[in-house]
PDB file of all heavy atoms in Angstrom:
ATOM      1  N   LEU A 148     135.142 105.728 102.522  1.00 91.00           N
ATOM      2  CA  LEU A 148     135.621 104.677 103.426  1.00 91.00           C
ATOM      3  C   LEU A 148     137.082 104.291 103.152  1.00 91.00           C
ATOM      4  O   LEU A 148     137.443 103.113 103.180  1.00 91.00           O
ATOM      5  CB  LEU A 148     134.729 103.427 103.313  1.00 91.00           C
ATOM      6  CG  LEU A 148     133.225 103.668 103.460  1.00 91.00           C
ATOM      7  CD1 LEU A 148     132.433 102.447 103.020  1.00 91.00           C
ATOM      8  CD2 LEU A 148     132.870 104.056 104.893  1.00 91.00           C
ATOM      9  N   GLY A 149     137.883 105.300 102.847  1.00 92.00           N
ATOM     10  CA  GLY A 149     139.317 105.057 102.660  1.00 92.00           C
ATOM     11  C   GLY A 149     139.675 104.330 101.373  1.00 92.00           C
ATOM     12  O   GLY A 149     140.828 103.925 101.192  1.00 92.00           O
ATOM     13  N   ARG A 150     138.702 104.152 100.467  1.00 96.00           N
ATOM     14  CA  ARG A 150     139.029 103.479  99.202  1.00 96.00           C
ATOM     15  C   ARG A 150     139.826 104.434  98.314  1.00 96.00           C
ATOM     16  O   ARG A 150     139.750 105.649  98.487  1.00 96.00           O
ATOM     17  CB  ARG A 150     137.736 103.049  98.502  1.00 96.00           C
ATOM     18  CG  ARG A 150     137.027 101.954  99.291  1.00 96.00           C
ATOM     19  CD  ARG A 150     135.848 101.410  98.523  1.00 96.00           C
ATOM     20  NE  ARG A 150     134.714 102.294  98.639  1.00 96.00           N
ATOM     21  CZ  ARG A 150     133.503 101.914  99.072  1.00 96.00           C
ATOM     22  NH1 ARG A 150     133.278 100.672  99.433  1.00 96.00           N
ATOM     23  NH2 ARG A 150     132.517 102.774  99.133  1.00 96.00           N
ATOM     24  N   SER A 151     140.554 103.882  97.363  1.00 98.00           N
ATOM     25  CA  SER A 151     141.349 104.788  96.539  1.00 98.00           C
ATOM     26  C   SER A 151     140.637 105.069  95.210  1.00 98.00           C
ATOM     27  O   SER A 151     139.785 104.300  94.770  1.00 98.00           O
ATOM     28  CB  SER A 151     142.757 104.237  96.321  1.00 98.00           C
ATOM     29  OG  SER A 151     142.685 103.107  95.509  1.00 98.00           O
ATOM     30  N   TRP A 152     141.012 106.197  94.625  1.00 98.00           N
ATOM     31  CA  TRP A 152     140.397 106.641  93.372  1.00 98.00           C
ATOM     32  C   TRP A 152     141.486 106.799  92.320  1.00 98.00           C
ATOM     33  O   TRP A 152     142.409 107.592  92.480  1.00 98.00           O
ATOM     34  CB  TRP A 152     139.644 107.962  93.566  1.00 98.00           C
ATOM     35  CG  TRP A 152     138.948 108.384  92.315  1.00 98.00           C
ATOM     36  CD1 TRP A 152     139.358 109.341  91.446  1.00 98.00           C
ATOM     37  CD2 TRP A 152     137.745 107.828  91.769  1.00 98.00           C
ATOM     38  NE1 TRP A 152     138.489 109.410  90.390  1.00 98.00           N
ATOM     39  CE2 TRP A 152     137.484 108.491  90.565  1.00 98.00           C
ATOM     40  CE3 TRP A 152     136.860 106.821  92.202  1.00 98.00           C
ATOM     41  CZ2 TRP A 152     136.387 108.208  89.770  1.00 98.00           C
ATOM     42  CZ3 TRP A 152     135.768 106.526  91.403  1.00 98.00           C
ATOM     43  CH2 TRP A 152     135.532 107.213  90.208  1.00 98.00           C
ATOM     44  N   PHE A 153     141.402 106.034  91.269  1.00 98.00           N
ATOM     45  CA  PHE A 153     142.381 106.043  90.184  1.00 98.00           C
ATOM     46  C   PHE A 153     142.279 107.356  89.409  1.00 98.00           C
ATOM     47  O   PHE A 153     141.233 107.641  88.822  1.00 98.00           O
ATOM     48  CB  PHE A 153     142.083 104.831  89.295  1.00 98.00           C
ATOM     49  CG  PHE A 153     142.933 104.714  88.072  1.00 98.00           C
ATOM     50  CD1 PHE A 153     144.305 104.541  88.166  1.00 98.00           C
ATOM     51  CD2 PHE A 153     142.354 104.744  86.806  1.00 98.00           C
ATOM     52  CE1 PHE A 153     145.085 104.411  87.024  1.00 98.00           C
ATOM     53  CE2 PHE A 153     143.123 104.606  85.661  1.00 98.00           C
ATOM     54  CZ  PHE A 153     144.497 104.447  85.774  1.00 98.00           C
ATOM     55  N   SER A 154     143.353 108.169  89.415  1.00 98.00           N
ATOM     56  CA  SER A 154     143.308 109.514  88.818  1.00 98.00           C
ATOM     57  C   SER A 154     144.535 109.764  87.957  1.00 98.00           C
ATOM     58  O   SER A 154     145.425 110.533  88.331  1.00 98.00           O
ATOM     59  CB  SER A 154     143.258 110.585  89.912  1.00 98.00           C
ATOM     60  OG  SER A 154     142.539 110.166  91.046  1.00 98.00           O
ATOM     61  N   PRO A 155     144.644 109.105  86.807  1.00 98.00           N
ATOM     62  CA  PRO A 155     145.846 109.248  85.977  1.00 98.00           C
ATOM     63  C   PRO A 155     145.945 110.646  85.350  1.00 98.00           C
ATOM     64  O   PRO A 155     144.942 111.352  85.235  1.00 98.00           O
ATOM     65  CB  PRO A 155     145.642 108.185  84.886  1.00 98.00           C
ATOM     66  CG  PRO A 155     144.173 108.012  84.781  1.00 98.00           C
ATOM     67  CD  PRO A 155     143.629 108.233  86.166  1.00 98.00           C
TER      68      PRO A 155
END
Side-chain angles (χ1 to χ4, degrees):
L148 308 167
R150 293 187 281 235
S151 69
W152 183 258
F153 176 63
S154 326

